[in-house]
Amino acid sequence: MAVLCKPAIAVPEHIITQDDTLELARRLHKDHSQLKLVLRLIEHTGVLKRHLIQPIDKVLKHPGLEARSAVYEQESKARVPAVVRQALNQAELEARQIDLIVYVSCTGFMMPSLTAWLINTLDFRSETRQIPIAQLGCAAGGAAINRAHDFCTAYPDSNVLIVACEFCSLCYQPTDLGVGSLLSNGLFGDAIAAAVVRGRGGTGVRLERNGSYLIPHTEDWISYAVRSTGFHFLLDKRVPGTMEPLAPALRAVADQQRWNAGELDFYLVHAGGPRILDDLSRFLEVPPEAFRFSRATLTEYGNIASAVVLDALGRMFEEASPREGHRGLLAGFGPGITAEMALGTWTAAA
């Protein structure tokens, strides 16, 4: 059975606090008609600090899509390899033992994908397969886990490397002044995460089942408008309420495994904002403490898009709370509105 091993996480060195963000909003948007609402919403995110790949004065300037794409390529090549090496180390594997790389990112674009560069640079075999995922947004962390699980189910002796590289600060648009856009300016952070799914052996979450669910007719609730200036993030005000229709989908996947979604031992879910976690606690009828790993990610790093689920998993590893046979749920939520869900059981290598 495929085992999701301990992930490696890295956040960049430049830090912006919530107080810094609020002060910037007051200074840059002092004449905005809904400034008080924006400030209140940013305060209620619970995000105390975020990490950025550039100092904030550079983030606030928009040099154009070409220049931002160059920064994305330069920074990903500079920062991803160390995270990959750590993830391989923690899975007790070498690069040449990896059969597939799943690379997810919704904050920059390269072709060929960074997977090709990684294969050439880090001594992966030339036969290593590649799955770059660019358009599932925050749900892509869950999708990467699920596609790795599928691959190891089809090829039981295989190993899969997952990489999530999100530089959300490169999507800042100074001319986007809607409430949703200004809220996102105080919510998203930058991070890189990587983890290995081993087809055999390993300590971590033994993947048992996965599933996807799309809420009908919500594809315009979270989206990018792709313009000459790059990606413009669009966030509908109805998004925070999406856990009500998604909770039954989570329950349905658990039911297929004959598990009760409200009686699991751990929950690792995408922390898009505090209401998502609060609503899941209510609709799944589990205590708020069940989402402590996701909430800690949100508080300390902000919404780091596809990397959230892996960071939450890393925090569970660090806490060392799961025991052999403990059952849990992993889920990523993103554009579509899409949920990528997985069930797993904690196991330790013999």
Side-chain angles (χ1 to χ4, degrees):
M1 298 287 283
V3 172
L4 176 59
C5 300
K6 182 178 182 179
I9 314 294
V11 291
E13 61 278 15
H14 303 289
I15 295 175
I16 182 169
T17 66
Q18 186 182 81
D19 287 342
D20 296 333
T21 300
L22 292 170
E23 180 54 35
L24 275 172
R26 292 188 188 98
R27 177 164 59 85
L28 296 174
H29 308 294
K30 58 180 181 295
D31 297 324
H32 197 286
S33 62
Q34 294 180 287
L35 178 60
K36 288 184 179 179
L37 172 62
V38 170
L39 296 176
R40 187 166 70 250
L41 290 173
I42 292 174
E43 287 176 333
H44 288 168
T45 62
V47 178
L48 296 186
K49 68 176 175 67
R50 294 171 290 145
H51 293 251
L52 311 173
I53 59 170
Q54 301 178 106
I56 188 61
D57 59 326
K58 282 193 174 182
V59 172
L60 293 176
K61 295 174 183 175
H62 195 329
L65 179 58
E66 182 177 350
R68 281 188 168 176
S69 295
V71 171
Y72 178 88
E73 180 172 351
Q74 176 185 340
E75 293 294 332
S76 60
K77 288 180 175 179
R79 297 173 187 270
V80 168
V83 182
V84 167
R85 291 189 184 100
Q86 186 183 348
L88 290 170
N89 243 7
Q90 291 170 174
E92 299 181 327
L93 293 177
E94 297 178 356
R96 300 190 71 77
Q97 294 174 279
I98 295 297
D99 301 283
L100 166 69
I101 301 174
V102 183
Y103 178 83
V104 297
S105 179
C106 63
T107 51
F109 180 80
M110 292 170 56
M111 192 168 72
S113 164
L114 191 73
T115 50
W117 181 85
L118 288 171
I119 289 170
N120 287 321
T121 305
L122 299 185
D123 200 33
F124 293 94
R125 290 177 291 112
S126 293
E127 297 81 8
T128 306
R129 299 175 194 185
Q130 307 169 61
I131 300 181
I133 301 175
Q135 293 160 296
L136 280 177
C138 298
I145 293 169
N146 290 347
R147 300 299 73 81
H149 179 202
D150 293 343
F151 189 83
C152 289
T153 300
Y155 305 99
D157 293 319
S158 297
N159 302 301
V160 180
L161 171 69
I162 296 167
V163 181
C165 178
E166 299 291 12
F167 300 148
C168 301
S169 60
L170 292 179
C171 297
Y172 170 72
Q173 297 289 349
T175 60
D176 289 355
L177 302 179
V179 171
S181 295
L182 296 181
L183 170 60
S184 71
N185 293 342
L187 180 62
F188 287 92
D190 299 346
I192 298 165
V196 170
V197 174
R198 290 185 52 146
R200 299 193 188 278
T203 293
V205 179
R206 185 176 66 234
L207 298 169
E208 310 278 2
R209 180 182 293 274
N210 68 63
S212 301
Y213 184 79
L214 177 79
I215 304 176
H217 310 301
T218 58
E219 64 268 26
D220 58 346
W221 288 18
I222 301 174
S223 63
Y224 275 160
V226 183
R227 300 172 183 153
S228 59
T229 47
F231 303 142
H232 292 251
F233 183 64
L234 303 176
L235 183 68
D236 191 278
K237 64 182 179 181
R238 292 169 289 185
V239 169
T242 50
M243 289 307 103
E244 185 169 6
L246 284 182
L250 297 175
R251 287 192 177 276
V253 169
D255 288 344
Q256 292 170 15
Q257 193 69 12
R258 297 185 179 178
W259 293 2
N260 184 332
E263 296 180 356
L264 301 178
D265 301 295
F266 59 86
Y267 297 83
L268 307 167
V269 303
H270 176 69
R275 184 174 166 186
I276 286 177
L277 302 177
D278 293 341
D279 282 359
L280 273 182
S281 174
R282 180 158 56 96
F283 293 125
L284 295 181
E285 298 179 356
V286 298
E289 175 70 5
F291 299 105
R292 63 190 179 279
F293 305 115
S294 300
R295 201 174 296 274
T297 298
L298 183 65
T299 299
E300 296 177 26
Y301 295 160
N303 183 339
I304 50 175
S306 64
V308 169
V309 171
L310 293 176
D311 184 71
L313 173 63
R315 292 173 188 274
M316 187 173 75
F317 265 93
E318 293 299 325
E319 187 183 87
S321 54
R323 297 290 178 262
E324 188 74 29
H326 274 193
R327 301 179 302 178
L329 169 72
L330 302 89
F333 312 120
I337 300 284
T338 301
E340 286 282 341
M341 305 161 285
L343 300 175
T345 304
W346 184 264
T347 185

